[in-house]
Amino acid sequence: MPILNYTTKIDAWKTCNEVQQILSKHRVTHFSIKNEGSFPVALSFCVEFKGTPLNFLLPCNYKGVLSCFKKDRKVPRSSENDEQALRTAWRIVKDWVEAQLALIESEQATIEQIFLPYLMSENGETLSERMLNGDGMKLLT
């Protein structure tokens, strides 16, 4: 089966705005969109936790989606382009965010727990990037 949402025609900017609207219902403030050229590639947002603002950076890895398109023979060759990969990637992000917020709404997790890998440090690196790019297990000790 091809990757989720591979046929979407919904503009990436529209989906990015939908994600902002969804998150805004859950104590999220101060949105910002990171661009790569004219492409939205990440969404940053802030959540207050015990009086302290926590900044998160939620990426949209459309290049990974494009790579999947190229490997999957069920995806039409006409879809193997950055624009379709970007549309698809943002729809996947939106679906993931909605599923995560269902966990929050059903009190199975908090927003801080769900988005912890995307918590940004002072240098703009996320916690997951720090784990994967050097600090590794040292962060857990």
Side-chain angles (χ1 to χ4, degrees), residues 1-12 15-16 18-19 22 60 62 65-66 68-69 72 74-76 79-99:
M1 180 167 196
I3 191 168
L4 182 68
N5 296 315
Y6 78 100
T7 61
T8 189
K9 299 294 179 211
I10 300 170
D11 182 73
T15 303
C16 188
E18 289 175 16
V19 172
I22 293 164
C60 178
Y62 75 94
V65 171
L66 183 59
C68 287
F69 281 177
D72 190 337
K74 294 179 184 173
V75 174
S79 293
E80 288 182 8
N81 60 71
D82 288 346
E83 291 80 10
Q84 184 60 35
L86 185 69
R87 285 191 291 270
T88 300
W90 272 110
R91 292 314 284 183
I92 292 169
V93 168
K94 183 186 96 43
D95 290 349
W96 180 83
V97 167
E98 287 177 321

Side-chain angles (χ1 to χ4, degrees), residues 83-140:
E83 291 80 10
Q84 184 60 35
L86 185 69
R87 285 191 291 270
T88 300
W90 272 110
R91 292 314 284 183
I92 292 169
V93 168
K94 183 186 96 43
D95 290 349
W96 180 83
V97 167
E98 287 177 321
Q100 300 311 306
L101 293 178
L103 290 170
I104 295 165
E105 290 167 359
S106 61
E107 299 180 11
Q108 296 183 66
T110 66
I111 196 164
E112 296 83 7
Q113 289 171 316
I114 294 295
F115 291 104
L116 186 62
Y118 306 106
L119 180 64
M120 288 180 16
S121 65
E122 300 81 30
N123 68 1
E125 190 177 39
T126 64
L127 182 58
S128 60
E129 288 169 334
R130 288 187 65 191
M131 281 289 297
L132 297 171
N133 294 334
D135 288 331
M137 297 303 290
K138 187 166 75 172
L139 289 173
L140 300 176

Side-chain angles (χ1 to χ4, degrees), residues 28-74:
V28 174
T29 61
H30 301 90
F31 292 102
S32 178
I33 298 171
K34 180 180 176 184
N35 296 340
E36 199 174 88
S38 63
F39 289 174
V41 296
L43 178 64
S44 64
F45 56 91
C46 182
V47 174
E48 190 170 308
F49 179 71
K50 296 182 179 182
T52 302
L54 300 177
N55 294 303
F56 298 89
L57 181 66
L58 184 61
C60 178
N61 182 6
Y62 75 94
K63 292 178 183 176
V65 171
L66 183 59
S67 175
C68 287
F69 281 177
K70 291 179 179 181
K71 293 174 190 170
D72 190 337
R73 294 294 106 203
K74 294 179 184 173

